[in-house]
């Protein structure tokens, strides 16, 4: 449902924002439409003017959360031109996304991935698409670096992308339960050394 007025669009976005926060803290299955509307300060009756169902809401929330992730991580990375630096900034951008508590309960995608694993196949696949897009972004940067002779021709782009994404999302889970976001600093430093090991010797160094 596409809101037609400025007021309706503002209300629609308000519901999305509050639902995203609740889903990140309580989970999708433990959050009701009543919970979302109460947090948004709205009546339940108004919900169906914006979303056909709770399932439609979570799909819209995933799109909304993707936009937030892009603004925090992808936009941060896009400020840099050298693929080597872009990879380092993927790590830094995600660290900032984590410590700034974009979502109250940690990364919404990580939380939904765990919750939906064997509960809802369609939603699980939708969340996995977002992880696949993250891996593809990292792999594309590596490939760009290879094309510019900044990384060795044998650099395994997809495998490195998988390692980077697994490190960041896994660290998010650990940092959340340990309340130690310094895990990102320590872990990112190791990943930076791993990435640097694939740089070509003739052109190593920071941009």
């Amino acid at each position: 449902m596409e809101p037609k007025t400025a007021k309706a669009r503002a209300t629609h976005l308000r519901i999305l924002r509050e639902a995203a926060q609740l889903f990140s803290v309580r989970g999708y299955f433990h959050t009701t439409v009543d919970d979302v509307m109460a947090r948004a300060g709205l009546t339940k009756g108004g919900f169906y003017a914006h979303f056909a169902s709770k399932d439609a809401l979570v799909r819209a929330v995933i799109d909304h959360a993707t936009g937030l992730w892009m603004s925090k991580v992808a936009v941060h990375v896009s400020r840099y031109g050298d693929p080597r630096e872009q990879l380092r900034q993927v790590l830094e951008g995600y660290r900032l996304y984590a410590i700034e508590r974009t979502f109250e309960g940690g990364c919404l995608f990580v939380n939904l991935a765990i919750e939906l694993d064997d509960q809802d196949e369609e939603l699980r696949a939708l969340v996995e698409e977002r992880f696949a897009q993250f891996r593809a972004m990292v792999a594309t940067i590596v490939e760009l670096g290879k094309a510019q002779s900044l990384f060795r021709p044998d650099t395994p782009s997809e495998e490195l992308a998988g390692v980077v994404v697994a490190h960041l999302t896994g660290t998010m889970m650990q940092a959340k339960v340990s309340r130690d976001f310094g895990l990102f600093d320590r872990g990112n430093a190791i990943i930076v050394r791993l990435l640097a090991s694939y740089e070509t010797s003739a052109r190593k160094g920071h941009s």
Side-chain angles (χ1 to χ4, degrees), residues 113-126:
I114 296 169
E115 183 183 16
L116 299 173
D117 177 33
D118 57 358
Q119 299 294 319
D120 189 309
E121 179 58 24
E122 288 188 10
L123 289 179
R124 182 210 61 77
L126 189 59

Side-chain angles (χ1 to χ4, degrees), residues 124-161:
R124 182 210 61 77
L126 189 59
V127 173
E128 164 52 18
E129 284 180 14
R130 300 318 197 259
F131 285 104
Q133 289 167 3
F134 190 6
R135 292 192 297 271
M137 183 185 84
V138 177
T140 297
I141 295 172
V142 176
E143 284 297 309
L144 180 60
K146 288 165 69 174
Q148 296 177 13
S149 299
L150 299 172
F151 293 108
R152 300 197 315 263
D154 64 339
T155 302
S157 303
E158 292 186 6
E159 290 79 1
L160 274 181

Side-chain angles (χ1 to χ4, degrees), residues 3 19 21 28 37 65 90 93 95 102 114 143 155 176 190 192 196:
Q21 296 301 341
Y28 170 65
M37 298 305 277
V90 167
R95 185 187 73 84
T102 304
I114 296 169
E143 284 297 309
T155 302
K176 177 182 171 183
I190 293 172
V192 165

Side-chain angles (χ1 to χ4, degrees), residues 2-199:
E2 186 65 29
K4 296 181 179 180
T5 67
K7 182 178 180 181
R9 287 192 293 272
T11 300
H12 188 88
L13 180 58
R14 186 175 176 182
I15 295 170
L16 284 177
R17 286 173 174 167
E18 300 306 334
Q21 296 301 341
L22 281 175
F23 290 163
S24 77
V25 174
R26 297 185 183 181
Y28 170 65
F29 292 114
H30 290 92
T31 299
T32 67
V33 169
D34 283 338
D35 294 332
V36 173
M37 298 305 277
R39 173 159 172 151
L42 301 166
T43 61
K44 182 179 179 180
F47 175 82
Y48 295 100
H50 296 273
F51 302 96
S53 64
K54 185 183 172 187
D55 181 74
L57 171 64
V58 72
R59 291 171 184 275
V61 164
I62 289 170
D63 287 340
H64 170 70
T66 300
L68 287 178
W69 187 92
M70 293 288 288
S71 70
K72 294 281 187 176
V73 182
V75 171
H76 177 84
V77 172
S78 71
R79 299 188 184 115
Y80 301 85
D82 187 317
R84 295 166 300 183
E85 187 59 31
Q86 285 183 332
L87 288 177
R88 291 189 282 269
Q89 294 305 323
V90 167
L91 302 171
E92 175 61 9
Y94 195 96
R95 185 187 73 84
L96 293 173
Y97 162 77
I99 66 174
E100 290 172 3
R101 301 295 294 269
T102 304
F103 298 105
E104 294 171 13
C107 180
L108 177 70
F109 302 107
V110 171
N111 294 353
L112 285 177
I114 296 169
E115 183 183 16
L116 299 173
D117 177 33
D118 57 358
Q119 299 294 319
D120 189 309
E121 179 58 24
E122 288 188 10
L123 289 179
R124 182 210 61 77
L126 189 59
V127 173
E128 164 52 18
E129 284 180 14
R130 300 318 197 259
F131 285 104
Q133 289 167 3
F134 190 6
R135 292 192 297 271
M137 183 185 84
V138 177
T140 297
I141 295 172
V142 176
E143 284 297 309
L144 180 60
K146 288 165 69 174
Q148 296 177 13
S149 299
L150 299 172
F151 293 108
R152 300 197 315 263
D154 64 339
T155 302
S157 303
E158 292 186 6
E159 290 79 1
L160 274 181
V163 168
V164 168
V165 173
H167 155 65
L168 291 171
T169 55
T171 301
M172 173 69 89
M173 288 188 288
Q174 294 181 69
K176 177 182 171 183
V177 297
S178 67
R179 298 180 181 176
D180 178 12
F181 285 90
L183 289 170
F184 278 102
D185 298 297
R186 299 187 287 276
N188 285 2
I190 293 172
I191 298 298
V192 165
R193 291 198 292 273
L194 171 64
L195 295 171
S197 72
Y198 288 98
E199 292 180 12

